[in-house]
Amino acid sequence: MDSVRPCESPAAAVDPAARWRSIAAAIGCISIVGFALALTIPLLSLMLEARGISDTWIGLNTAVAGLGALVTAAVVPRLVGRFGTVRLLYAAVTAGAVALLLLPPSPFWAWFPIRFVLTGAITVLFVVSEFWINATAPDGKRGLVMGIYASVLSAGFAAGPAVLAIFGSASPIPLAVATISFVLAAIPVALAGNVVPKVEGRSKLPMISLVFVAPAAILAALVFGAGESTTLAFIALWGQRSGFAEAEAALLLTMAGLGNLLFQVPIGMLADRANRSMVLTLCGAIASVGAGLLPMASDSVTLAFAIIFVWGGVAAGLYTVGLTQLGARFTGAELASANALFVMLYSVGMLIGPAMGGAAMDAWPPDGLPLALALLFGAYTLIAGGRWITSR
């Protein structure tokens, strides 16, 4: 298996301060980009609506983002091996900023290739940053590091839409903030020092075969992506159809976000001390049971808030522990490929999740959503549980 050379300088490799500075730089870079991403997703839809573009075409333009993520993630391992971690990150933040600058003056047809480039740049940033964090994290504290990463990223995701809420989509400020954020994301990379992971050679395993090497870890991305996108799309609607007031239904998303923010560090620390397949199994089981309990909370918004808070945090643990497991299982080119496949499957989950949730809500109103989520996480629990049993 190819190895990762964790730094440019051997001395820096054994310097804990330099290692943690490098990790902080990677987390800072991707969290700033996460903030920009959370701001631009609703902003771009509102900008197109203001132009009079139909919902169908807005949806198609947004779908190009998913295609861009899948295509780009597949080639990131080769790109990082050829150009290096730092240079590829600089290229990605530049491409993202330029793409955002090009959108306002461009005709609608040009938004399709520009959106593809924008999402491709963001995908590069996610894959490379997560590879960087995973490769640099100390073995005994990798779960803690990934938990911190997930928490900081969640905070960035929460802050992005706030800018849009304050200034509105008609103002040029939100787009300017998003563009500047891409530029600012390069600053932590410049301050990282010499502890930067390098990939030498190519993975000896085809990317898709990595699913069979670490199925519980890699499929966690697919399941969480589907569950997260379905929840974002329909949980407020489920709340309203269950009898909650509109404001109460909207707060369900807030509670899920709070759980995501607060649970990742404890879950990551648990993953450092326990069998990670067991932790993934527990996360899947609790997420499945939590979703199944939601219909019982339709008469109590307080109980629904509590369930969503715990459920949202534990379900997000799949992403945190999945990444931690990849870092423990793979190194070098294989780790870069595994991280790329992880992001690809997360993107696939984001694409198929809302279709699954919408069909379930139509088939079994109003509780088709929690039923579908319970089955999704339940099926994953069987896979992770089987992996745990065979690894004991």
Side-chain angles (χ1 to χ4, degrees):
M1 182 176 292
D2 294 73
S3 61
V4 61
R5 290 201 321 193
C7 61
E8 304 287 354
S9 165
V14 295
D15 181 358
R19 180 185 294 274
W20 285 104
R21 183 172 67 247
S22 176
I23 292 170
I27 292 176
C29 171
I30 195 56
S31 297
I32 295 171
V33 173
F35 163 81
L37 173 62
L39 170 58
T40 56
I41 289 176
L43 174 62
L44 297 185
S45 295
L46 291 171
M47 289 172 63
L48 289 176
E49 184 180 49
R51 290 191 179 194
I53 304 299
S54 70
D55 290 342
T56 299
W57 279 107
I58 293 175
L60 289 172
N61 185 255
T62 304
V64 168
L67 179 62
L70 290 173
V71 172
T72 306
V75 299
V76 168
R78 291 187 180 183
L79 293 176
V80 73
R82 180 172 181 179
F83 297 106
T85 304
V86 172
R87 282 190 293 176
L88 189 57
L89 287 175
Y90 283 150
V93 296
T94 302
V98 171
L100 286 175
L101 289 173
L102 290 175
L103 285 173
S106 298
F108 177 59
W109 65 264
W111 277 55
F112 286 88
I114 294 173
R115 192 81 178 261
F116 186 94
V117 171
L118 174 62
T119 308
I122 292 171
T123 302
V124 168
L125 286 160
F126 269 94
V127 173
V128 175
S129 295
E130 289 178 353
F131 162 71
W132 180 344
I133 297 166
N134 235 339
T136 310
D139 288 336
K141 296 183 178 179
R142 181 171 282 110
L144 171 63
V145 169
M146 301 315 298
I148 293 172
Y149 157 66
S151 296
V152 175
L153 183 63
S154 296
F157 277 143
V163 175
L164 184 58
I166 293 171
F167 295 102
S169 61
S171 169
I173 293 178
L175 188 63
V177 169
T179 305
I180 292 171
S181 295
F182 271 93
V183 178
L184 293 178
I187 295 177
V189 179
L191 299 176
N194 291 328
V195 186
V196 179
K198 296 176 66 177
V199 173
E200 296 179 331
R202 293 185 179 182
S203 173
K204 297 178 181 178
L205 298 173
M207 183 181 290
I208 193 62
S209 70
L210 299 176
V211 174
F212 302 100
V213 178
I218 291 180
L219 290 177
L222 174 69
V223 173
F224 176 62
E228 182 184 45
S229 62
T230 304
T231 302
L232 289 172
F234 293 111
I235 195 66
L237 184 58
W238 171 83
Q240 286 185 292
R241 292 181 180 178
S242 296
F244 299 154
E246 182 176 347
E248 293 173 333
L251 282 175
L252 290 171
L253 276 174
T254 301
M255 297 308 296
L258 284 174
N260 191 338
L261 179 66
L262 297 176
F263 273 65
Q264 301 319 300
V265 170
I267 290 175
M269 294 174 68
L270 178 62
D272 284 332
R273 291 163 172 77
N275 183 297
R276 295 187 182 99
S277 294
M278 180 196 73
V279 179
L280 287 169
T281 303
L282 289 175
C283 286
I286 294 172
S288 180
V289 171
L293 290 175
L294 273 179
M296 300 172 59
S298 59
D299 294 329
S300 172
V301 68
T302 302
L303 180 58
F305 284 166
I307 292 174
I308 286 287
F309 174 75
V310 175
W311 175 82
V314 174
L318 293 178
Y319 197 93
T320 300
V321 182
L323 279 175
T324 304
Q325 181 78 319
L326 293 186
R329 179 64 182 81
F330 301 106
T331 59
E334 272 77 22
L335 178 58
S337 293
N339 269 117
L341 182 59
F342 197 82
V343 172
M344 287 177 66
L345 290 182
Y346 175 79
S347 300
V348 171
M350 292 284 286
L351 290 173
I352 66 175
M356 173 194 71
M361 290 189 72
D362 284 339
W364 304 288
D367 293 323
L369 175 66
L371 175 61
L373 290 172
L375 292 174
L376 172 69
F377 287 105
Y380 173 78
T381 301
L382 295 177
I383 296 172
R387 190 67 174 176
W388 173 32
I389 292 171
T390 58
S391 67
R392 294 175 66 180

